[in-house]
Amino acid sequence: MMLIQCPHCGARDVSEFTYGGPADVARPADPLATSDAQWADYVYMRDNPRGPHDELWQHSAGCRRWIAVRRNTLTHELIATAEPGKLPPR
Amino acid sequence: MKYSIVSLLRNAFSHHQQWPLAWRSPAPKQEYDVVIIGGGGHGLATAYYLAKEYGITNVAVLEKGYLGGGNTGRNTTIVRSNYFLDANAHFYEHALKLWENLSADLNYNVMYSPRGVLNLAHSYADLESYSRRGNAMRLNGIDAELLDLDQVRRMVPLLDCSPQARYPLMGGLLQRRGGTARHDAVAWGYARGADSRGVDIIQQCEVTGFRRDGNRIIAIETSRGTIRAKKIGLAVAGHSGQVAALAGLRLPIESHVLQALVSEPVKPILDTVVTSGAVHFYVSQSDKGELVLGGDLDMYNSYGQLSNLPPIEHAVQSLVALFPCFSRLRMLRTWGGVMDMSLDGSPIIGKSPIDNLYLNCGWCYGGFKATPASGWCFAHTIAQDRPHALNAAFTLDRYAQGRTLDERGGGPFAWAH
């Protein structure tokens, strides 16, 4: 069972949160200059790490704000949480 | 040795102490024509059909752990072909046709049991979408029957069909040829069939790297030494991204954990596979008498074959809501398996950007029922260096070309499929 440290509400049960996917995938800055292959890479391709993973969660049954979470995908250990974009560098 | 009533009698006289091993455990050779990475159902089926259909027997199957010890031994054994999209329908129907004759083909009892797979409809919207899917299936030559509530009640009398039920029922979509098969026997049967045709099955052999020469892989580094290979097939669903990364590839796949659980065994009580898409729940009864049930993904990336309580609680709540009579059954054990969740919910079987590397991955939670067709199509793709018509749509480049196969319109979210 995972307890996620919401930066706004404190430690809460994982069932209060909704998963939102990887946090370290950046949308192409200039859509008009982005090729089809680059779009496909952004939309579909994943690093899928086995270990620390930066991801977005919404505290949907709490403060409803989006947060960034660094979590180990193998052990489910919660390493850090922060406002989106504010996770410390790995 | 062929398994038969005669061999059974003969071995009875020696108190069943003289049965030969079902497959050898040879040391790896230095070079193979084809090396399949992954000794689960898909990898073993691929080796079997390479040998049987294409006469390619200088083949090795490399397995990190033991045969069928990954997702082949962790699924809930359901087979069906009730798909909407043409490419999926034709592919899974080919699998179901192979299932129907698999025990005879392998001379190994995979206990295929066409007990029917019933999808419950809880609303008019459910009925609409099931009638649309059923019609699509029938147009593709697959059996499908739309049931009204009375027919559902007669077929599965234990269901709470009352108007005040927690999840009111309105009917269902039934595929009678769907059912279950014994998962371990599938791996063992394919292993035995491949081995008897000359395939080397090498367990406890982990792939640690690939040696490249230009756009080709010339050798595989493993925990049991370097193995050269002319062609390499990857069938390691759950960890495809990890092994593909060793070859420098990124895949449209996320790994997610899916859990299942079984109850204590009881006498035969449920003779159909019952699923509910709306509730995210399914249950069947195993031949040992246990109820086998499961639900949704845990909904976040995971490689941990861990059990977590919220999805278990949801599955048990759903069971008791749909079948009140099961409320006093105790649950025996739970487990988790790591799914290759592809970004459109459909698998990838085909060529890769590397000349002699072939991909078989992205099975989401539909890998077990696909096993025979997956091996059959993958063997064709490797032997002929081009896909069969049945897997021509399951390419890696379909994502970049906008030809995704998104069965339920979930969009590019791995956990939505």
Side-chain angles (χ1 to χ4, degrees), chain B residues 282-293:
Chain B
Y282 61 91
V283 61
S284 63
Q285 187 175 23
S286 76
D287 292 311
K288 285 190 289 185
E290 304 151 331
L291 293 185
V292 186
L293 52 144

Side-chain angles (χ1 to χ4, degrees), chain B residues 384-397:
Chain B
Q384 312 268 335
D385 195 36
R386 59 185 162 80
H388 188 274
L390 284 169
N391 66 315
F394 299 127
T395 58
L396 177 62
D397 60 9

